């Protein structure tokens, strides 16, 4: 069969001179199977609202992107595709009210929390915070923030702030919040002072709540079942005194 490249090609400018007819025309690289599946999954999620099919499509593509390490341009591109597939999968799980599975679902593709992409981790924090279960991501985000490799990323500061606002402070983890803001170079001095003031205010609120709880507990103990026998005996004694008084009134009066 005659080659498609046998016919002379028109000269192309801007590529280091005209292209000789003996040189093959370089076609754009075909998209990888993972990219095709990513586009299909996004279409199922956004256009067709078929969340189950979108999730299954992501799960078909993700195993082919396992054990990737950043370095070459092709590896970095594959890591971006993997991250995008996880974001589509997270959204699909949330739409199906399976948001509790999100964290374990993404970790099966990244093995350890420290390797989670910032975009994926941010989405997890926002999701669990919105569902009022920030404690589910506490250990994962803490591990990610403590990793030295992540501390050089441009997204580190934003994630640290998000962790403070959406996880640590709502959970009352004030000591952990203080350690994070003091030990992290991602905060400016002004931000550090603002956060420390917020932590101090939260600590005072905790103290007032604890004192109020102790007062309420003390009152409950004073009226606890252990004091009921004494109250019963007191009531019985009062009842007997009343009977004695009434019996005095019923005694016959002698001249």
């Amino acid at each position: 069969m005659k080659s498609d490249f046998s016919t002379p090609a028109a000269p192309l400018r801007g590529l280091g001179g005209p292209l000789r007819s003996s040189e093959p025309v370089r076609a754009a690289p075909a998209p990888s199977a993972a990219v095709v599946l990513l586009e299909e999954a996004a279409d199922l999620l956004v256009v067709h609202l078929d969340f189950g099919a979108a999730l299954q499509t992501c799960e078909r593509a993700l195993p082919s992107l396992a054990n990737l390490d950043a370095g070459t341009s092709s590896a970095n591109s594959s890591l971006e595709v993997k991250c995008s597939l996880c974001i589509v999968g997270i959204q699909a799980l949330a739409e199906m009210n399976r948001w509790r599975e999100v964290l374990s679902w993404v970790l099966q593709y990244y093995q350890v929390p420290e390797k989670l992409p910032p975009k994926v981790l941010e989405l997890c924090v926002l999701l669990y915070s919105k569902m009022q279960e920030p404690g589910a991501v506490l250990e994962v985000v803490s591990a990610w923030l403590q990793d030295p490799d992540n501390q050089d990323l441009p997204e580190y500061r934003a994630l640290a702030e998000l962790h403070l606002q959406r996880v640590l402070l709502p959970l009352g983890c004030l000591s952990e919040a203080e350690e994070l803001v003091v030990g992290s170079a991602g905060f400016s001095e002004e931000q550090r002072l603002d956060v420390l003031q917020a932590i101090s205010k939260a600590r005072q609120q905790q103290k007032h709540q604890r004192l109020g709880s102790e007062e309420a507990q003390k009152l409950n103990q004073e009226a606890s079942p252990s004091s009921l026998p004494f109250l019963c005996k007191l009531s019985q004694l009062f009842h007997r005194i009343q009977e004695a008084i009434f019996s005095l009134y019923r005694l016959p009066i002698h001249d």
Side-chain angles (χ1 to χ4, degrees), residues 19-31:
L19 182 68
R20 289 193 281 262
S21 60
S22 59
E23 294 176 353
V25 178
R26 294 180 181 179

Side-chain angles (χ1 to χ4, degrees), residues 3 21 27 140 159 168 180 205 216:
S3 171
S21 60
V140 170
L159 272 168
L168 294 179
L180 176 61
Q205 291 177 347

Side-chain angles (χ1 to χ4, degrees), residues 2 15 30 37 43 48 50 54 80 93-94 96 110 113 119 124 129-131 183 196 201 204 224 235 245:
K2 192 175 181 180
L15 295 176
L37 289 172
D43 189 62
H48 301 286
D50 192 342
E80 285 293 328
L93 285 167
M96 293 187 291
Y110 289 94
K119 293 178 183 178
C124 289
S129 172
K130 181 180 179 181
M131 303 311 295
L196 289 175
K201 184 177 179 180
Q204 290 177 355
S224 63
S235 177
I245 293 172

Side-chain angles (χ1 to χ4, degrees), residues 52-66:
L55 179 64
Q56 291 176 0
T57 304
C58 293
E59 290 174 340
R60 283 166 52 201
L62 282 166
S64 66
L65 301 173

Side-chain angles (χ1 to χ4, degrees), residues 164-235:
L164 277 169
Q165 297 171 1
R166 299 297 187 97
V167 180
L168 294 179
L169 292 180
L171 289 174
C173 300
L174 304 184
S175 297
E176 291 84 348
E178 201 167 33
E179 290 176 6
L180 176 61
V181 72
V182 170
S184 174
F187 295 92
S188 66
E189 190 62 28
E190 183 179 356
Q191 287 179 321
R192 187 174 288 110
L193 290 174
D194 290 340
V195 174
L196 289 175
Q197 287 177 357
I199 292 172
S200 177
K201 184 177 179 180
R203 189 167 276 134
Q204 290 177 355
Q205 291 177 347
Q206 275 190 352
K207 183 178 180 181
H208 291 316
Q209 290 174 354
R210 184 172 63 252
L211 291 174
S213 177
E214 289 175 356
E215 288 291 335
Q217 186 177 5
K218 184 178 179 181
L219 291 173
N220 289 334
Q221 287 176 349
E222 290 176 353
S224 63
S226 60
S227 63
L228 290 180
F230 173 74
L231 294 176
C232 290
K233 291 178 180 179
L234 189 63
S235 177

